[in-house]
């Protein structure tokens, strides 16, 4: 029999374990130490860490995508797009007289539409 004294947080406790079990525990600890020094295990652990990082990013991305209404966001133009549209001249500038004439014509169309509705 082998005895072992622990240094736990409190009074020291004496634990007695069979020698075969002690030997198995030391062999197991040695195997873990050897495993931790293996370059193959280090490579596998690095791959697992990268896989876990990507999995977490993917889950986070899916959660963000599910929370946003992407159809509405995609339909709205960005500020850069609005600025680009404002910078492009699509028609020549109108004079104040032309703007007033267009407004008068537009109101005349509205008045004509209202008159047809009232007559019906």
């Amino acid at each position: 029999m082998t005895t072992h004294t622990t240094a736990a947080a409190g009074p020291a406790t004496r634990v007695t374990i069979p020698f075969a079990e002690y030997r198995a525990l030391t062999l197991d600890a040695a195997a873990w130490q050897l495993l931790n020094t293996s370059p193959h295990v280090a490579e596998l652990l690095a791959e697992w860490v990268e896989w876990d990082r990507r999995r977490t990013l993917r889950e986070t991305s899916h959660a963000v995508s599910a929370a946003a209404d992407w159809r509405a966001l995609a339909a709205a133009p960005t500020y850069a797009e609005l600025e680009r549209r404002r910078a492009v001249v699509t028609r020549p500038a109108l004079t104040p007289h032309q703007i007033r004439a267009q407004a008068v014509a537009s109101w005349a169309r509205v008045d004509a539409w209202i008159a047809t509705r009232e007559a019906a």
Side-chain angles (χ1 to χ4, degrees):
M1 292 280 198
T2 301
T3 59
H4 177 70
T5 304
T6 63
T13 307
R14 224 157 168 68
V15 177
T16 304
I17 60 172
F19 182 74
E21 189 174 341
Y22 173 78
R23 185 75 178 134
L25 287 171
T26 57
L27 288 174
D28 190 42
W32 277 106
Q33 286 177 346
L34 182 63
L35 188 65
N36 285 338
T37 60
S38 167
H40 302 294
V41 171
E43 183 180 343
L44 286 173
L45 285 175
E47 287 179 9
W48 181 84
V49 167
E50 179 63 18
W51 172 85
D52 187 57
R53 184 186 70 81
R54 289 182 182 190
R55 179 189 57 81
T56 304
L57 286 174
R58 184 175 57 250
E59 288 176 358
T60 304
S61 175
H62 289 172
V64 169
S65 295
D69 183 5
W70 291 106
R71 291 176 192 239
L73 291 174
T78 63
Y79 287 113
E81 173 64 15
L82 292 174
E83 185 178 9
R84 185 194 66 77
R85 290 179 189 176
R86 283 192 301 271
V88 175
V89 177
T90 56
R91 60 183 178 153
L94 300 175
T95 65
H97 179 69
Q98 290 171 324
I99 294 171
R100 284 188 205 97
Q102 283 184 349
V104 168
S106 177
W107 280 115
R109 285 192 302 273
V110 170
D111 291 338
W113 182 81
I114 292 173
T116 58
R117 292 290 173 203
E118 289 176 351

